[in-house]
Amino acid sequence: MLESQINKFLSLPELKFTKKRNLKNYVIEFECYKTNEFEVCPKCATKSYKVHDRVFVHIKDIPIRNKLIFLKIKKRRFKCPNCKSVFREPIPGIKKGFKTTQRFRSHIRWCASNFSDLKRVTKQLQCSSWLVYTAFYEQLKLENKKWQNEWSSTVGVDEHSFLRNSKSHSTEFTSIFVDYNNNRVREAILGRSMDDLENSRIMDIKGRENVKNVVMDMSGSYKKFVTKHFPNAIITCDKFHVVKLFNHALNRIRIEVMKHPYFLKSRNSPVRRLYLKNHERLSFSERHVVRHINSLFPELKEMYKFKERMLFIYNIKGFKRARKAMTKLTDEMAQSGRKIVQSLRKTVVKWRREILNYFRTRLTNGRTEGYNRKAKLIQRKAYGYRNFENYRLRLIYDCR
Ligand SMILES: [Zn+2]
């Protein structure tokens, strides 16, 4: 009883072991054969009982207790009584023409995604790096096929750099679409322009009308794409990026101001940190410094006030109140004569509806940014990718 159970555990279905041999002290070979009486002809689907001849094949299987396992299978060749063609019997668990079992290839996938580099995998499994490479991406493709769901109700969009194009010396970008409901990267595509998005796999995923919310940073092409192809979606602008715009404008004014001889010429001046920080979090003495500098430079004071107001708006509860505060802020910005403030106001007004949607949906792009971080880690672990398709498979497999 136990023997048959072990046999069942070790072998593939329909195979029976006959002999075990230790080839070296770390290699074990099992001799086995297939037990069924007949095979069906692949050409005309007629049952065939007539064995033409027998051949041995060596198949590599998943290692057990650090010992490499080989299956020496006595394969029969059958002759079809109908069309007279000769064919080999197929063995479940081994693809036609392959010298490894499917479970071994799946084990390669496990090793390759858990070991720190692929050289260790080749050493551990005693196989070529080519086999690791092909089996890994083939298995990733199979795994990812299991996760082909429709669009869910909330989606996050963002981009990150992929590689530098050697010909044009420009950076190529990857856009990722994150499924917020199932907590994973749904799709990744090369490029971020409208053309790239429209000619990509994004269009093949079904259920675009299911999407109710899309979170994104202030990118024109994403907005255009989402409004065109996701008819029921409400776009929410990420709050971090809005505050970043204000901080950026403030920083530019600060750099101009600090050319004044009043300041010491130092690359990492502590003033920068003071101005980026939320005013509420400054200590008493720090507030005093900020107030003093602001009193000397009115242009800095003005922009600092706008930045603090924007931070304050994000603490407001309720859509209507936030809308009112936002209108007041943009009206005040309109009265300023400075170019930087005017261009900032233009952007804020252009994205006004999306920024205000935050007070309805309360969604941020934090999760997408987190996956961006993970994507960067995957790139680093592989010392960079040359093939985008492989990168995409790895990214979707790891971020799920
Ligand atoms: Zn036949």
Side-chain angles (χ1 to χ4, degrees):
M1 185 61 198
L2 184 67
E3 205 175 321
S4 72
Q5 276 175 358
I6 290 173
N7 192 4
K8 211 175 170 184
F9 170 68
L10 290 177
S11 78
L12 289 160
E14 296 178 36
L15 283 191
K16 201 175 176 187
F17 287 134
T18 49
K19 256 187 226 166
K20 182 207 154 216
R21 248 187 297 165
N22 290 12
L23 294 184
K24 290 167 198 162
N25 49 14
Y26 61 92
V27 182
I28 299 174
E29 190 186 72
F30 288 107
E31 235 180 83
C32 46
Y33 65 92
K34 205 175 167 186
T35 49
N36 58 341
E37 284 175 7
F38 64 89
E39 280 301 333
V40 176
C41 170
K43 279 183 187 163
C44 63
T46 319
K47 271 186 194 174
S48 167
Y49 292 87
K50 199 185 169 193
V51 177
H52 184 68
D53 61 356
R54 290 180 175 83
V55 277
F56 279 112
V57 285
H58 290 265
I59 306 288
K60 197 168 187 175
D61 201 1
I62 191 164
I64 302 167
R65 290 191 190 155
N66 289 335
K67 289 208 171 19
L68 299 177
I69 306 291
F70 280 90
L71 303 177
K72 192 180 178 186
I73 304 172
K74 203 175 194 181
K75 251 182 161 182
R76 291 167 294 180
R77 294 208 303 166
F78 285 87
K79 194 165 190 180
C80 174
N82 185 25
C83 65
K84 306 286 178 213
S85 66
V86 176
F87 61 93
R88 280 189 188 191
E89 56 183 356
I91 292 163
I94 303 165
K95 259 189 174 178
K96 195 185 166 190
F98 281 45
K99 296 221 154 192
T100 47
T101 60
Q102 280 307 91
R103 60 185 181 197
F104 178 70
R105 297 175 92 81
S106 157
H107 184 62
I108 289 179
R109 191 205 73 223
W110 186 88
C111 290
S113 53
N114 286 294
F115 286 15
S116 66
D117 56 67
L118 295 188
K119 201 161 188 185
R120 279 164 201 267
V121 183
T122 57
K123 225 172 179 182
Q124 171 80 16
L125 302 177
Q126 294 282 319
C127 57
S128 66
S129 48
W130 175 248
L131 177 67
V132 173
Y133 176 81
T134 44
F136 181 45
Y137 289 110
E138 164 209 290
Q139 291 292 318
L140 284 190
K141 222 177 210 171
L142 284 176
E143 274 297 304
N144 288 349
K145 265 187 189 167
K146 293 178 192 167
W147 297 79
Q148 299 285 333
N149 58 322
E150 289 191 351
W151 285 112
S152 61
S153 65
T154 309
V155 173
V157 193
D158 206 2
E159 92 239 318
H160 61 261
S161 59
F162 172 55
L163 51 77
R164 282 190 90 78
N165 195 322
S166 54
K167 278 173 195 163
S168 63
H169 294 285
S170 58
T171 314
E172 287 185 21
F173 283 88
T174 306
S175 308
I176 56 170
F177 284 70
V178 176
D179 183 338
Y180 270 49
N181 302 62
N182 298 315
N183 233 335
R184 68 190 200 86
V185 171
R186 181 63 187 86
E187 194 54 80
I189 60 155
L190 187 61
R192 53 176 175 173
S193 68
M194 188 72 179
D195 250 17
D196 294 330
L197 291 164
E198 279 186 333
N199 301 320
S200 68
R201 287 193 176 87
I202 301 288
M203 306 299 289
D204 304 337
I205 304 171
K206 281 172 189 156
R208 263 182 272 140
E209 61 285 346
N210 298 346
V211 181
K212 297 267 154 51
N213 289 304
V214 178
V215 197
M216 61 171 73
D217 52 7
M218 290 164 159
S219 152
S221 61
Y222 289 152
K223 186 181 172 184
K224 211 170 139 191
F225 177 73
V226 170
T227 40
K228 191 175 173 189
H229 296 291
F230 294 79
N232 303 326
I234 297 172
I235 300 171
T236 307
C237 194
D238 183 39
K239 105 181 173 185
F240 169 79
H241 287 90
V242 179
V243 176
K244 196 172 140 192
L245 273 184
F246 278 79
N247 273 333
H248 186 67
L250 179 69
N251 216 19
R252 272 173 66 192
I253 295 176
R254 183 191 59 82
I255 288 165
E256 276 303 306
V257 159
M258 281 179 72
K259 285 174 184 166
H260 195 274
Y262 178 79
F263 296 99
L264 287 172
K265 286 231 170 341
S266 152
R267 273 190 73 87
N268 34 10
S269 157
V271 180
R272 178 178 165 271
R273 201 180 53 83
L274 283 184
Y275 272 83
L276 289 180
K277 224 173 172 182
N278 192 338
H279 191 263
E280 282 176 17
R281 287 184 195 163
L282 294 177
S283 70
F284 179 76
S285 54
E286 284 171 336
R287 279 183 198 196
H288 185 76
V289 173
V290 169
R291 207 180 303 138
H292 182 65
I293 297 172
N294 277 349
S295 69
L296 293 173
F297 304 99
E299 64 265 46
L300 196 62
K301 187 182 177 183
E302 185 191 33
M303 193 56 227
Y304 188 70
K305 199 180 77 192
F306 291 144
K307 186 208 97 178
E308 284 302 317
R309 281 276 291 284
M310 194 65 226
L311 284 176
F312 176 75
I313 287 174
Y314 274 114
N315 288 331
I316 293 176
K317 288 195 174 80
F319 175 75
K320 280 181 185 168
R321 272 187 234 159
R323 189 176 60 187
K324 215 172 158 186
M326 193 83 183
T327 315
K328 214 174 159 190
L329 175 65
T330 43
D331 284 353
E332 271 176 40
M333 282 168 84
Q335 283 162 15
S336 164
R338 276 170 242 289
K339 219 176 168 184
I340 294 177
V341 179
Q342 286 310 325
S343 70
L344 176 64
R345 181 181 172 271
K346 213 174 151 186
T347 323
V348 173
V349 170
K350 196 177 161 193
W351 288 85
R352 183 186 153 83
R353 197 197 292 173
E354 287 78 21
I355 294 171
L356 285 174
N357 277 341
Y358 168 76
F359 297 95
R360 282 194 176 125
T361 58
R362 293 271 160 191
L363 286 167
T364 69
N365 224 358
R367 203 171 283 174
T368 319
E369 300 293 341
Y371 282 124
N372 269 350
R373 180 76 198 80
K374 209 166 179 179
K376 284 284 167 195
L377 197 64
I378 291 167
Q379 285 182 18
R380 237 196 124 114
K381 242 160 95 179
Y383 301 95
Y385 277 83
R386 272 192 241 167
N387 186 331
F388 177 76
E389 209 38 52
N390 289 347
Y391 174 57
R392 175 186 159 268
L393 286 174
R394 186 76 203 263
L395 182 64
I396 294 175
Y397 177 72
D398 276 10
C399 300
R400 75 198 162 100

